[in-house]
Amino acid sequence: MTQQNLLLGQTFETRGNPFETPWQDAISINSAGAVLIENGHIRAVGDAETLRKKHPLAQMHDYGPHLICPGFVDAHVHYPQTAIIASWGKQLIDWLNTYTFPEETRFSDPEYAREIAARYLDLALGHGTTTMCSYATIHSESVDAFFHAAQDRKLRTVAGKTCMDRNAPEGLRDTAQSAYDDSKRLLNRWHGKARAQYAITPRFSPTSTPDQLAALGALWSEHPDCLMQTHLSEQLPEIEWVRGLFPQARDYLDTYEHHGLLGPMGVYGHAIHLTQREIDRLAETGAALVHCPTSNSFIGSGLMDVMGLAKRGIPLGLATDTGGGSSFSMLRTMAAAYEIAQLRGVALHPAQLMWLATAGSARSLHLQDNIGNLAPRFEADLTILDLASTPAIAQRSQRATDIWEALFPTIMMGDDRAIADVWIAGRKHMPK
Ligand code: GUN
Ligand code: ZN
């Protein structure tokens, strides 16, 4: 008989989207819940008493008052920027030129790529993130390094070679043809292999010629089951730049659409300064947007209208945007999402924040049937949250009158100390 693991604790269960239905109907927390895991998948979720009686031979893991959640899903990161996170004093374009591009140049060395891929994944896991959708660099070896490191850790991941053929330094440019060829080779090597998914990855319109955008649009049309990830309308000077580079385009989104880079499998990071036409077109297409709140304040980009976009039915994910973002933690990222919504006059409920970091991000990556939910048949990637991980959090959470009030201090003040355990594909992760 195969080994069964039974995890006992408070369980975070998702039944719907708390932006579309009242959060009380969408999410429930069972204070005496249990999750039964078998063969890397969740087999049952229910009451602790019932599942214990039904599965007496399962190995028990009693997490007491801890919250058993789906593993966090970080829908937009740049793993190669791990070592330059928290770099001072620049806004987007200067930040790219001063810190990011010189660092990404170092990834021509496969040994360095392997070192940073391992470092990034271990940091992310330590913060309770079990799936991430990452940009690599222009170097194919940086994609291999990431997927090999993810495979070693049995993680479900998405990544792609970042393509740039202009406005980037020597050593960090490919061409339209080599971007197509390299991306195609990597896609054939990795897409669907074990838990890896390939994402076609033009960095953003300013660093791709129209020829390169068209070549990647053609590749996407040959592989419509792949995600396509890029950046959209992050900062005002960037949008002005795009206007100058693409004078014929109606707006920023149109620079992608015109080259075959808009579709339901498209995932667009930031999307802060959108026009009404862009919002309407995104809603029509079914493309996903990814909110990167720590990055948007750190780089000085602006306040995304999460509630307005959610109300339009646009799929939304949540992300650290490491290393433009200032944290590896999806808890810290939820806190920043809360703060940014407050600055727009909206209080996001903890159920909505947690949904964005799990099922919402999973849906933005079209992985909503695999991860992001504690339910039978889902892959068993779990994060166990200690809701009293520091004295400051513990004293506030102790005062709480319900579970949401008990969870909120961890969302606002929590970090890697709140991660009691992580399970990957049905196995407890042992930190290296
Ligand atoms: N736009 C284009 N490239 C990047 C990047 O690496 N980080 C962020 N935050 N925005 C970008
Ligand atoms: Zn980014």
Side-chain angles (χ1 to χ4, degrees):
M1 197 181 133
T2 53
Q3 168 73 49
Q4 293 182 325
N5 285 292
L6 186 63
L7 281 59
L8 309 177
Q10 307 202 68
T11 47
F12 183 95
E13 301 173 28
T14 307
R15 305 216 160 78
N17 175 346
F19 288 92
E20 286 170 1
T21 51
W23 62 262
Q24 296 90 334
D25 301 336
I27 313 282
S28 67
I29 293 181
N30 184 343
S31 59
V35 181
L36 182 71
I37 295 175
E38 187 183 275
N39 286 332
H41 287 72
I42 295 172
R43 201 170 130 205
V45 180
D47 292 330
E49 265 310 296
T50 315
L51 287 179
R52 272 170 85 144
K53 282 200 190 117
K54 220 167 148 186
H55 303 279
L57 298 179
Q59 180 160 4
M60 297 243 281
H61 306 264
D62 191 349
Y63 285 111
H66 291 353
L67 185 64
I68 303 174
C69 310
F72 296 140
V73 180
D74 191 341
H76 178 129
V77 309
H78 299 256
Y79 93 82
Q81 297 170 15
T82 296
I84 55 131
I85 193 167
S87 289
W88 183 83
K90 304 287 179 197
Q91 297 219 342
L92 180 61
I93 297 163
D94 289 342
W95 175 82
L96 285 170
N97 287 318
T98 308
Y99 298 118
T100 308
F101 289 162
E103 177 64 12
E104 292 193 8
T105 307
R106 298 183 63 179
F107 285 70
S108 60
D109 173 3
E111 189 51 46
Y112 188 64
R114 282 193 286 273
E115 180 191 334
I116 300 294
R119 187 190 301 177
Y120 164 74
L121 288 174
D122 289 338
L123 281 165
L125 277 166
H127 287 81
T129 300
T130 50
T131 285
M132 50 293 284
C133 178
S134 186
Y135 289 63
T137 64
I138 70 146
H139 313 95
S140 293
E141 294 80 0
S142 73
V143 177
D144 291 333
F146 181 81
F147 279 134
H148 277 302
Q151 210 171 45
D152 287 349
R153 291 160 180 77
K154 312 240 178 310
L155 291 170
R156 180 168 277 293
T157 54
V158 186
K161 173 195 132 74
T162 296
C163 301
M164 296 197 276
D165 67 343
R166 65 168 163 178
N167 294 319
E170 185 66 37
L172 214 54
R173 288 192 305 267
D174 48 19
T175 65
Q177 189 63 47
S178 72
Y180 175 92
D181 293 340
D182 291 350
S183 301
K184 192 181 177 83
R185 195 174 316 116
L186 288 162
L187 186 161
N188 285 326
R189 186 177 303 158
W190 289 109
H191 190 58
K193 186 165 176 194
R195 303 187 80 195
Q197 304 278 132
Y198 192 82
I200 296 165
T201 308
R203 181 176 216 118
F204 67 157
S205 289
T207 48
S208 289
T209 59
D211 279 354
Q212 181 170 83
L213 294 177
L216 294 173
L219 182 61
W220 198 19
S221 70
E222 292 158 26
H223 298 277
D225 63 321
C226 274
L227 294 171
M228 189 290 302
Q229 61 176 347
T230 190
H231 297 83
L232 175 68
S233 295
E234 179 176 358
Q235 218 166 76
L236 296 175
E238 170 209 11
I239 296 169
E240 272 311 303
W241 193 19
V242 170
R243 215 189 305 280
L245 290 169
F246 297 86
Q248 269 85 36
R250 285 172 289 185
D251 44 42
Y252 198 154
L253 186 66
D254 200 34
T255 64
Y256 295 129
E257 180 161 15
H258 187 75
H259 297 100
L261 293 170
L262 178 63
M265 296 290 278
V267 188
Y268 304 82
H270 302 279
I272 300 167
H273 308 284
L274 299 173
T275 64
Q276 194 54 52
R277 192 205 79 85
E278 289 174 305
I279 296 170
D280 293 343
R281 191 71 192 110
L282 284 161
E284 215 168 73
T285 315
L289 300 179
V290 182
H291 187 24
C292 307
T294 71
S295 169
N296 296 344
S297 51
F298 182 76
I299 305 188
S301 302
L303 313 177
M304 189 198 202
D305 181 13
V306 170
M307 193 54 96
L309 294 164
K311 283 197 175 132
R312 291 298 310 270
I314 296 175
L316 294 180
L318 187 66
T320 59
D321 190 29
T322 297
S326 53
S327 172
F328 294 93
S329 166
M330 290 299 284
L331 290 169
R332 180 73 207 96
T333 303
M334 286 182 245
Y338 179 79
E339 289 163 353
I340 284 189
Q342 279 284 56
L343 288 169
R344 299 188 64 106
V346 170
L348 295 175
H349 191 272
Q352 293 174 317
L353 295 165
M354 287 287 291
W355 181 87
L356 282 172
T358 55
S361 278
R363 184 177 68 144
S364 76
L365 303 177
H366 292 253
L367 293 172
Q368 68 274 15
D369 297 329
N370 305 86
I371 55 167
N373 208 334
L374 292 191
R377 288 180 295 283
F378 276 75
E379 295 164 15
D381 292 342
L382 311 176
T383 288
I384 319 298
L385 286 183
D386 175 355
L387 302 183
S389 61
T390 68
I393 295 173
Q395 62 89 36
R396 178 62 187 90
S397 149
Q398 200 171 34
R399 179 73 78 85
T401 54
D402 67 23
I403 178 63
W404 296 109
E405 197 184 343
L407 168 59
F408 194 53
T410 289
I411 290 179
M412 292 311 298
M413 298 192 281
D415 53 29
D416 49 338
R417 289 168 291 180
I419 310 304
D421 254 334
V422 171
W423 287 69
I424 304 166
R427 291 211 188 141
K428 191 150 108 165
H429 171 66
M430 299 296 172
K432 291 196 190 313

